[in-house]
Amino acid sequence: MNRHDGGPLSRSVNVERLPQGRGAVTVEASQAECDALARDFGIPGIRDLVGRFDLEGSLNRLRITGTVEALVTQVCTVSLDPFEAKVSEPVEVEFTDTDQFVGTDAEDVDIPDPIVNGRIDFGALTAEFLALGLDPYPRKPGIAFEQRQEDADEKPFAALARLRGGEPAPE
């Protein structure tokens, strides 16, 4: 297994070995890989991580579509309880072996990901799209964020006036 990027999930595939024009790649992460990714992402757990990818194009330009799915354990930002949720993130990305935008002002263009040394790391792609699918503010189902309501009849500065000695604030 090549680990060019040093990430915990790597499935480097030589694009020359893919069927010309079309193909499919499936990445199923081991529990050890899921545990390492969970540590990297700072969440309690990941399990059943699978990336399913369909490929079309040529050796020097591939379009990859598919889905990354997993069960993740996150901590609710309201109750602080851990809970499990399903992540299903759609994938649509292009890879190319040439940098077509060298020397151009291509900031506003979607630049394809590089095919490095004739290879694409579908494990790193799986991890990247799992990260995109994580809720940055996870909330356990059924938990609502409730703002504390002050006395609705009380004027906005009444509490401050009480602190100042009971006199109403000048209006």
Side-chain angles (χ1 to χ4, degrees):
M1 191 183 313
N2 287 329
R3 289 184 182 248
H4 295 293
D5 68 350
L9 182 61
S10 182
R11 299 290 191 284
S12 186
V13 173
N14 185 336
V15 294
E16 291 177 9
R17 293 193 181 153
L18 295 170
Q20 255 324 77
R22 299 190 81 71
V25 172
T26 299
V27 174
E28 294 186 38
S30 70
Q31 192 54 55
E33 290 167 326
C34 286
D35 293 344
L37 278 174
R39 282 191 300 276
D40 276 6
F41 294 166
I43 62 174
I46 298 171
R47 65 185 178 93
D48 302 336
L49 172 57
V50 178
R52 291 182 180 85
F53 306 104
D54 293 313
L55 296 74
E56 59 185 15
S58 64
L59 289 179
N60 52 9
R61 189 169 188 95
L62 279 172
R63 181 170 182 267
I64 298 171
T65 56
T67 309
V68 171
E69 296 180 324
L71 286 172
V72 298
T73 302
Q74 290 186 277
V75 175
C76 177
T77 55
V78 177
S79 69
L80 302 182
D81 293 329
F83 70 100
E84 194 170 76
K86 184 173 173 81
V87 171
S88 182
E89 185 68 12
V91 174
E92 186 174 337
V93 66
E94 284 198 26
F95 282 83
T96 181
D97 66 349
T98 58
D99 191 346
Q100 302 165 321
F101 303 103
V102 168
T104 66
D105 185 13
E107 288 181 20
D108 297 330
V109 177
D110 278 341
I111 298 174
D113 286 78
I115 297 173
V116 180
N117 297 325
R119 304 180 79 81
I120 295 175
D121 188 339
F122 286 91
L125 192 64
T126 300
E128 177 185 340
F129 277 87
L130 174 62
L132 288 172
L134 291 177
D135 185 344
Y137 304 103
R139 217 178 276 171
K140 190 175 181 178
I143 299 287
F145 179 75
E146 294 177 16
Q147 277 188 304
R148 194 167 153 251
Q149 292 278 330
E150 297 293 330
D151 186 354
D153 296 332
E154 193 169 56
K155 289 196 179 350
F157 294 104
L160 181 59
R162 283 194 301 277
L163 288 174
R164 292 180 59 202
E167 296 175 26
E171 293 187 22

PDB file of all heavy atoms in Angstrom, residues 35-65:
ATOM      1  N   ASP A  35     -10.677   4.063  12.625  1.00  0.00           N
ATOM      2  CA  ASP A  35     -10.273   4.604  13.930  1.00  0.00           C
ATOM      3  C   ASP A  35      -9.229   5.704  13.759  1.00  0.00           C
ATOM      4  O   ASP A  35      -9.276   6.737  14.430  1.00  0.00           O
ATOM      5  CB  ASP A  35      -9.728   3.494  14.833  1.00  0.00           C
ATOM      6  CG  ASP A  35     -10.813   2.478  15.229  1.00  0.00           C
ATOM      7  OD1 ASP A  35     -12.018   2.783  15.062  1.00  0.00           O
ATOM      8  OD2 ASP A  35     -10.441   1.389  15.691  1.00  0.00           O
ATOM      9  N   ALA A  36      -8.279   5.497  12.856  1.00  0.00           N
ATOM     10  CA  ALA A  36      -7.233   6.500  12.613  1.00  0.00           C
ATOM     11  C   ALA A  36      -7.838   7.775  12.012  1.00  0.00           C
ATOM     12  O   ALA A  36      -7.459   8.886  12.399  1.00  0.00           O
ATOM     13  CB  ALA A  36      -6.154   5.931  11.696  1.00  0.00           C
ATOM     14  N   LEU A  37      -8.783   7.626  11.093  1.00  0.00           N
ATOM     15  CA  LEU A  37      -9.450   8.795  10.517  1.00  0.00           C
ATOM     16  C   LEU A  37     -10.247   9.543  11.575  1.00  0.00           C
ATOM     17  O   LEU A  37     -10.245  10.772  11.605  1.00  0.00           O
ATOM     18  CB  LEU A  37     -10.386   8.377   9.377  1.00  0.00           C
ATOM     19  CG  LEU A  37      -9.755   8.160   8.014  1.00  0.00           C
ATOM     20  CD1 LEU A  37     -10.795   7.619   7.039  1.00  0.00           C
ATOM     21  CD2 LEU A  37      -9.153   9.438   7.472  1.00  0.00           C
ATOM     22  N   ALA A  38     -10.946   8.803  12.450  1.00  0.00           N
ATOM     23  CA  ALA A  38     -11.723   9.444  13.524  1.00  0.00           C
ATOM     24  C   ALA A  38     -10.801  10.289  14.398  1.00  0.00           C
ATOM     25  O   ALA A  38     -11.144  11.422  14.767  1.00  0.00           O
ATOM     26  CB  ALA A  38     -12.460   8.396  14.356  1.00  0.00           C
ATOM     27  N   ARG A  39      -9.620   9.762  14.710  1.00  0.00           N
ATOM     28  CA  ARG A  39      -8.649  10.545  15.493  1.00  0.00           C
ATOM     29  C   ARG A  39      -8.233  11.788  14.728  1.00  0.00           C
ATOM     30  O   ARG A  39      -8.188  12.889  15.275  1.00  0.00           O
ATOM     31  CB  ARG A  39      -7.420   9.702  15.839  1.00  0.00           C
ATOM     32  CG  ARG A  39      -7.652   8.734  16.995  1.00  0.00           C
ATOM     33  CD  ARG A  39      -6.351   8.104  17.479  1.00  0.00           C
ATOM     34  NE  ARG A  39      -5.658   7.333  16.456  1.00  0.00           N
ATOM     35  CZ  ARG A  39      -5.918   6.067  16.155  1.00  0.00           C
ATOM     36  NH1 ARG A  39      -6.861   5.404  16.807  1.00  0.00           N
ATOM     37  NH2 ARG A  39      -5.234   5.432  15.218  1.00  0.00           N
ATOM     38  N   ASP A  40      -7.943  11.645  13.431  1.00  0.00           N
ATOM     39  CA  ASP A  40      -7.554  12.798  12.606  1.00  0.00           C
ATOM     40  C   ASP A  40      -8.661  13.857  12.560  1.00  0.00           C
ATOM     41  O   ASP A  40      -8.387  15.046  12.575  1.00  0.00           O
ATOM     42  CB  ASP A  40      -7.258  12.365  11.169  1.00  0.00           C
ATOM     43  CG  ASP A  40      -5.843  11.844  10.987  1.00  0.00           C
ATOM     44  OD1 ASP A  40      -5.110  11.696  11.994  1.00  0.00           O
ATOM     45  OD2 ASP A  40      -5.461  11.583   9.823  1.00  0.00           O
ATOM     46  N   PHE A  41      -9.917  13.411  12.477  1.00  0.00           N
ATOM     47  CA  PHE A  41     -11.052  14.329  12.364  1.00  0.00           C
ATOM     48  C   PHE A  41     -11.511  14.852  13.723  1.00  0.00           C
ATOM     49  O   PHE A  41     -12.363  15.736  13.782  1.00  0.00           O
ATOM     50  CB  PHE A  41     -12.242  13.654  11.669  1.00  0.00           C
ATOM     51  CG  PHE A  41     -12.008  13.297  10.221  1.00  0.00           C
ATOM     52  CD1 PHE A  41     -12.875  12.432   9.576  1.00  0.00           C
ATOM     53  CD2 PHE A  41     -10.938  13.799   9.495  1.00  0.00           C
ATOM     54  CE1 PHE A  41     -12.695  12.097   8.233  1.00  0.00           C
ATOM     55  CE2 PHE A  41     -10.740  13.472   8.161  1.00  0.00           C
ATOM     56  CZ  PHE A  41     -11.621  12.621   7.528  1.00  0.00           C
ATOM     57  N   GLY A  42     -10.996  14.271  14.817  1.00  0.00           N
ATOM     58  CA  GLY A  42     -11.382  14.713  16.158  1.00  0.00           C
ATOM     59  C   GLY A  42     -12.804  14.344  16.535  1.00  0.00           C
ATOM     60  O   GLY A  42     -13.488  15.091  17.232  1.00  0.00           O
ATOM     61  N   ILE A  43     -13.271  13.182  16.057  1.00  0.00           N
ATOM     62  CA  ILE A  43     -14.613  12.714  16.421  1.00  0.00           C
ATOM     63  C   ILE A  43     -14.494  11.350  17.099  1.00  0.00           C
ATOM     64  O   ILE A  43     -13.491  10.663  16.929  1.00  0.00           O
ATOM     65  CB  ILE A  43     -15.566  12.648  15.196  1.00  0.00           C
ATOM     66  CG1 ILE A  43     -15.070  11.654  14.144  1.00  0.00           C
ATOM     67  CG2 ILE A  43     -15.753  14.039  14.585  1.00  0.00           C
ATOM     68  CD1 ILE A  43     -16.045  11.443  12.989  1.00  0.00           C
ATOM     69  N   PRO A  44     -15.519  10.953  17.887  1.00  0.00           N
ATOM     70  CA  PRO A  44     -15.420   9.695  18.641  1.00  0.00           C
ATOM     71  C   PRO A  44     -15.302   8.425  17.797  1.00  0.00           C
ATOM     72  O   PRO A  44     -14.650   7.480  18.217  1.00  0.00           O
ATOM     73  CB  PRO A  44     -16.712   9.665  19.472  1.00  0.00           C
ATOM     74  CG  PRO A  44     -17.123  11.091  19.603  1.00  0.00           C
ATOM     75  CD  PRO A  44     -16.692  11.746  18.316  1.00  0.00           C
ATOM     76  N   GLY A  45     -15.934   8.389  16.617  1.00  0.00           N
ATOM     77  CA  GLY A  45     -15.852   7.136  15.866  1.00  0.00           C
ATOM     78  C   GLY A  45     -16.348   7.219  14.437  1.00  0.00           C
ATOM     79  O   GLY A  45     -17.142   8.081  14.079  1.00  0.00           O
ATOM     80  N   ILE A  46     -15.840   6.293  13.630  1.00  0.00           N
ATOM     81  CA  ILE A  46     -16.275   6.101  12.239  1.00  0.00           C
ATOM     82  C   ILE A  46     -16.340   4.602  12.026  1.00  0.00           C
ATOM     83  O   ILE A  46     -15.449   3.868  12.461  1.00  0.00           O
ATOM     84  CB  ILE A  46     -15.268   6.696  11.229  1.00  0.00           C
ATOM     85  CG1 ILE A  46     -15.117   8.208  11.413  1.00  0.00           C
ATOM     86  CG2 ILE A  46     -15.672   6.369   9.789  1.00  0.00           C
ATOM     87  CD1 ILE A  46     -13.983   8.823  10.594  1.00  0.00           C
ATOM     88  N   ARG A  47     -17.386   4.145  11.354  1.00  0.00           N
ATOM     89  CA  ARG A  47     -17.427   2.730  10.963  1.00  0.00           C
ATOM     90  C   ARG A  47     -18.155   2.581   9.638  1.00  0.00           C
ATOM     91  O   ARG A  47     -18.854   3.482   9.200  1.00  0.00           O
ATOM     92  CB  ARG A  47     -18.022   1.848  12.052  1.00  0.00           C
ATOM     93  CG  ARG A  47     -19.459   2.089  12.377  1.00  0.00           C
ATOM     94  CD  ARG A  47     -19.895   1.210  13.575  1.00  0.00           C
ATOM     95  NE  ARG A  47     -21.277   1.467  13.930  1.00  0.00           N
ATOM     96  CZ  ARG A  47     -22.303   0.785  13.463  1.00  0.00           C
ATOM     97  NH1 ARG A  47     -22.120  -0.198  12.602  1.00  0.00           N
ATOM     98  NH2 ARG A  47     -23.526   1.078  13.835  1.00  0.00           N
ATOM     99  N   ASP A  48     -17.929   1.415   9.013  1.00  0.00           N
ATOM    100  CA  ASP A  48     -18.580   1.091   7.738  1.00  0.00           C
ATOM    101  C   ASP A  48     -18.332   2.151   6.667  1.00  0.00           C
ATOM    102  O   ASP A  48     -19.230   2.529   5.921  1.00  0.00           O
ATOM    103  CB  ASP A  48     -20.098   0.895   7.925  1.00  0.00           C
ATOM    104  CG  ASP A  48     -20.425  -0.206   8.922  1.00  0.00           C
ATOM    105  OD1 ASP A  48     -19.571  -1.090   9.117  1.00  0.00           O
ATOM    106  OD2 ASP A  48     -21.520  -0.177   9.519  1.00  0.00           O
ATOM    107  N   LEU A  49     -17.091   2.624   6.567  1.00  0.00           N
ATOM    108  CA  LEU A  49     -16.737   3.635   5.572  1.00  0.00           C
ATOM    109  C   LEU A  49     -16.496   2.979   4.219  1.00  0.00           C
ATOM    110  O   LEU A  49     -15.647   2.098   4.092  1.00  0.00           O
ATOM    111  CB  LEU A  49     -15.487   4.403   6.012  1.00  0.00           C
ATOM    112  CG  LEU A  49     -14.867   5.378   4.999  1.00  0.00           C
ATOM    113  CD1 LEU A  49     -15.871   6.427   4.549  1.00  0.00           C
ATOM    114  CD2 LEU A  49     -13.631   6.032   5.603  1.00  0.00           C
ATOM    115  N   VAL A  50     -17.280   3.421   3.220  1.00  0.00           N
ATOM    116  CA  VAL A  50     -17.164   2.876   1.870  1.00  0.00           C
ATOM    117  C   VAL A  50     -17.235   4.028   0.870  1.00  0.00           C
ATOM    118  O   VAL A  50     -18.113   4.882   0.958  1.00  0.00           O
ATOM    119  CB  VAL A  50     -18.296   1.870   1.554  1.00  0.00           C
ATOM    120  CG1 VAL A  50     -18.177   1.346   0.126  1.00  0.00           C
ATOM    121  CG2 VAL A  50     -18.288   0.718   2.539  1.00  0.00           C
ATOM    122  N   GLY A  51     -16.293   4.040  -0.059  1.00  0.00           N
ATOM    123  CA  GLY A  51     -16.340   4.967  -1.186  1.00  0.00           C
ATOM    124  C   GLY A  51     -16.584   4.170  -2.451  1.00  0.00           C
ATOM    125  O   GLY A  51     -15.873   3.198  -2.721  1.00  0.00           O
ATOM    126  N   ARG A  52     -17.598   4.549  -3.207  1.00  0.00           N
ATOM    127  CA  ARG A  52     -17.908   3.878  -4.479  1.00  0.00           C
ATOM    128  C   ARG A  52     -17.772   4.907  -5.587  1.00  0.00           C
ATOM    129  O   ARG A  52     -18.454   5.937  -5.569  1.00  0.00           O
ATOM    130  CB  ARG A  52     -19.329   3.318  -4.453  1.00  0.00           C
ATOM    131  CG  ARG A  52     -19.499   2.163  -3.497  1.00  0.00           C
ATOM    132  CD  ARG A  52     -20.922   1.582  -3.535  1.00  0.00           C
ATOM    133  NE  ARG A  52     -21.043   0.486  -2.599  1.00  0.00           N
ATOM    134  CZ  ARG A  52     -21.331   0.629  -1.302  1.00  0.00           C
ATOM    135  NH1 ARG A  52     -21.529   1.825  -0.812  1.00  0.00           N
ATOM    136  NH2 ARG A  52     -21.415  -0.420  -0.509  1.00  0.00           N
ATOM    137  N   PHE A  53     -16.882   4.616  -6.534  1.00  0.00           N
ATOM    138  CA  PHE A  53     -16.550   5.592  -7.564  1.00  0.00           C
ATOM    139  C   PHE A  53     -16.711   5.000  -8.953  1.00  0.00           C
ATOM    140  O   PHE A  53     -16.277   3.881  -9.210  1.00  0.00           O
ATOM    141  CB  PHE A  53     -15.095   6.061  -7.395  1.00  0.00           C
ATOM    142  CG  PHE A  53     -14.800   6.573  -6.010  1.00  0.00           C
ATOM    143  CD1 PHE A  53     -14.083   5.790  -5.109  1.00  0.00           C
ATOM    144  CD2 PHE A  53     -15.245   7.820  -5.600  1.00  0.00           C
ATOM    145  CE1 PHE A  53     -13.811   6.251  -3.835  1.00  0.00           C
ATOM    146  CE2 PHE A  53     -14.975   8.287  -4.321  1.00  0.00           C
ATOM    147  CZ  PHE A  53     -14.250   7.505  -3.439  1.00  0.00           C
ATOM    148  N   ASP A  54     -17.331   5.774  -9.850  1.00  0.00           N
ATOM    149  CA  ASP A  54     -17.413   5.435 -11.267  1.00  0.00           C
ATOM    150  C   ASP A  54     -16.492   6.374 -12.012  1.00  0.00           C
ATOM    151  O   ASP A  54     -16.452   7.578 -11.729  1.00  0.00           O
ATOM    152  CB  ASP A  54     -18.845   5.597 -11.796  1.00  0.00           C
ATOM    153  CG  ASP A  54     -19.785   4.573 -11.180  1.00  0.00           C
ATOM    154  OD1 ASP A  54     -19.409   3.383 -11.142  1.00  0.00           O
ATOM    155  OD2 ASP A  54     -20.880   4.955 -10.742  1.00  0.00           O
ATOM    156  N   LEU A  55     -15.741   5.827 -12.962  1.00  0.00           N
ATOM    157  CA  LEU A  55     -14.760   6.609 -13.699  1.00  0.00           C
ATOM    158  C   LEU A  55     -15.092   6.598 -15.174  1.00  0.00           C
ATOM    159  O   LEU A  55     -15.513   5.574 -15.710  1.00  0.00           O
ATOM    160  CB  LEU A  55     -13.365   6.000 -13.534  1.00  0.00           C
ATOM    161  CG  LEU A  55     -12.752   5.982 -12.143  1.00  0.00           C
ATOM    162  CD1 LEU A  55     -13.394   4.959 -11.263  1.00  0.00           C
ATOM    163  CD2 LEU A  55     -11.297   5.688 -12.262  1.00  0.00           C
ATOM    164  N   GLU A  56     -14.883   7.745 -15.816  1.00  0.00           N
ATOM    165  CA  GLU A  56     -14.991   7.800 -17.270  1.00  0.00           C
ATOM    166  C   GLU A  56     -14.018   8.846 -17.783  1.00  0.00           C
ATOM    167  O   GLU A  56     -13.684   9.800 -17.087  1.00  0.00           O
ATOM    168  CB  GLU A  56     -16.420   8.092 -17.717  1.00  0.00           C
ATOM    169  CG  GLU A  56     -17.004   9.379 -17.221  1.00  0.00           C
ATOM    170  CD  GLU A  56     -18.468   9.554 -17.613  1.00  0.00           C
ATOM    171  OE1 GLU A  56     -19.113   8.573 -18.030  1.00  0.00           O
ATOM    172  OE2 GLU A  56     -18.944  10.682 -17.531  1.00  0.00           O
ATOM    173  N   GLY A  57     -13.537   8.630 -18.989  1.00  0.00           N
ATOM    174  CA  GLY A  57     -12.588   9.556 -19.589  1.00  0.00           C
ATOM    175  C   GLY A  57     -11.427   8.811 -20.204  1.00  0.00           C
ATOM    176  O   GLY A  57     -11.600   7.748 -20.790  1.00  0.00           O
ATOM    177  N   SER A  58     -10.227   9.390 -20.055  1.00  0.00           N
ATOM    178  CA  SER A  58      -9.038   8.809 -20.658  1.00  0.00           C
ATOM    179  C   SER A  58      -7.914   8.773 -19.629  1.00  0.00           C
ATOM    180  O   SER A  58      -8.087   9.233 -18.494  1.00  0.00           O
ATOM    181  CB  SER A  58      -8.612   9.655 -21.859  1.00  0.00           C
ATOM    182  OG  SER A  58      -8.237  10.947 -21.409  1.00  0.00           O
ATOM    183  N   LEU A  59      -6.767   8.247 -20.012  1.00  0.00           N
ATOM    184  CA  LEU A  59      -5.637   8.158 -19.099  1.00  0.00           C
ATOM    185  C   LEU A  59      -5.156   9.525 -18.619  1.00  0.00           C
ATOM    186  O   LEU A  59      -4.576   9.633 -17.550  1.00  0.00           O
ATOM    187  CB  LEU A  59      -4.465   7.426 -19.764  1.00  0.00           C
ATOM    188  CG  LEU A  59      -4.642   5.936 -19.982  1.00  0.00           C
ATOM    189  CD1 LEU A  59      -3.408   5.356 -20.665  1.00  0.00           C
ATOM    190  CD2 LEU A  59      -4.900   5.212 -18.665  1.00  0.00           C
ATOM    191  N   ASN A  60      -5.391  10.572 -19.417  1.00  0.00           N
ATOM    192  CA  ASN A  60      -4.906  11.882 -18.982  1.00  0.00           C
ATOM    193  C   ASN A  60      -6.009  12.817 -18.503  1.00  0.00           C
ATOM    194  O   ASN A  60      -5.738  13.927 -18.089  1.00  0.00           O
ATOM    195  CB  ASN A  60      -4.061  12.565 -20.063  1.00  0.00           C
ATOM    196  CG  ASN A  60      -4.761  12.630 -21.391  1.00  0.00           C
ATOM    197  OD1 ASN A  60      -5.941  12.313 -21.500  1.00  0.00           O
ATOM    198  ND2 ASN A  60      -4.031  13.035 -22.413  1.00  0.00           N
ATOM    199  N   ARG A  61      -7.275  12.364 -18.525  1.00  0.00           N
ATOM    200  CA  ARG A  61      -8.352  13.164 -17.942  1.00  0.00           C
ATOM    201  C   ARG A  61      -9.488  12.239 -17.536  1.00  0.00           C
ATOM    202  O   ARG A  61     -10.156  11.669 -18.387  1.00  0.00           O
ATOM    203  CB  ARG A  61      -8.846  14.224 -18.916  1.00  0.00           C
ATOM    204  CG  ARG A  61      -9.813  15.192 -18.250  1.00  0.00           C
ATOM    205  CD  ARG A  61     -10.099  16.399 -19.153  1.00  0.00           C
ATOM    206  NE  ARG A  61     -10.860  17.404 -18.452  1.00  0.00           N
ATOM    207  CZ  ARG A  61     -10.326  18.458 -17.839  1.00  0.00           C
ATOM    208  NH1 ARG A  61      -9.023  18.627 -17.835  1.00  0.00           N
ATOM    209  NH2 ARG A  61     -11.089  19.340 -17.239  1.00  0.00           N
ATOM    210  N   LEU A  62      -9.689  12.111 -16.228  1.00  0.00           N
ATOM    211  CA  LEU A  62     -10.725  11.224 -15.696  1.00  0.00           C
ATOM    212  C   LEU A  62     -11.763  12.019 -14.915  1.00  0.00           C
ATOM    213  O   LEU A  62     -11.415  12.884 -14.105  1.00  0.00           O
ATOM    214  CB  LEU A  62     -10.113  10.194 -14.747  1.00  0.00           C
ATOM    215  CG  LEU A  62      -9.450   8.986 -15.372  1.00  0.00           C
ATOM    216  CD1 LEU A  62      -8.723   8.176 -14.314  1.00  0.00           C
ATOM    217  CD2 LEU A  62     -10.490   8.113 -16.057  1.00  0.00           C
ATOM    218  N   ARG A  63     -13.031  11.704 -15.153  1.00  0.00           N
ATOM    219  CA  ARG A  63     -14.124  12.277 -14.359  1.00  0.00           C
ATOM    220  C   ARG A  63     -14.588  11.175 -13.410  1.00  0.00           C
ATOM    221  O   ARG A  63     -14.899  10.064 -13.851  1.00  0.00           O
ATOM    222  CB  ARG A  63     -15.256  12.716 -15.269  1.00  0.00           C
ATOM    223  CG  ARG A  63     -16.403  13.348 -14.521  1.00  0.00           C
ATOM    224  CD  ARG A  63     -17.386  13.977 -15.512  1.00  0.00           C
ATOM    225  NE  ARG A  63     -18.455  14.624 -14.807  1.00  0.00           N
ATOM    226  CZ  ARG A  63     -19.613  14.036 -14.509  1.00  0.00           C
ATOM    227  NH1 ARG A  63     -19.842  12.798 -14.890  1.00  0.00           N
ATOM    228  NH2 ARG A  63     -20.544  14.700 -13.852  1.00  0.00           N
ATOM    229  N   ILE A  64     -14.617  11.506 -12.119  1.00  0.00           N
ATOM    230  CA  ILE A  64     -14.982  10.520 -11.109  1.00  0.00           C
ATOM    231  C   ILE A  64     -16.245  10.999 -10.400  1.00  0.00           C
ATOM    232  O   ILE A  64     -16.317  12.127  -9.919  1.00  0.00           O
ATOM    233  CB  ILE A  64     -13.836  10.339 -10.095  1.00  0.00           C
ATOM    234  CG1 ILE A  64     -12.597   9.821 -10.846  1.00  0.00           C
ATOM    235  CG2 ILE A  64     -14.243   9.386  -8.979  1.00  0.00           C
ATOM    236  CD1 ILE A  64     -11.343   9.797 -10.030  1.00  0.00           C
ATOM    237  N   THR A  65     -17.257  10.115 -10.381  1.00  0.00           N
ATOM    238  CA  THR A  65     -18.498  10.396  -9.660  1.00  0.00           C
ATOM    239  C   THR A  65     -18.763   9.230  -8.728  1.00  0.00           C
ATOM    240  O   THR A  65     -18.250   8.127  -8.932  1.00  0.00           O
ATOM    241  CB  THR A  65     -19.692  10.577 -10.625  1.00  0.00           C
ATOM    242  OG1 THR A  65     -19.807   9.402 -11.444  1.00  0.00           O
ATOM    243  CG2 THR A  65     -19.526  11.799 -11.502  1.00  0.00           C
TER     244      THR A  65
END
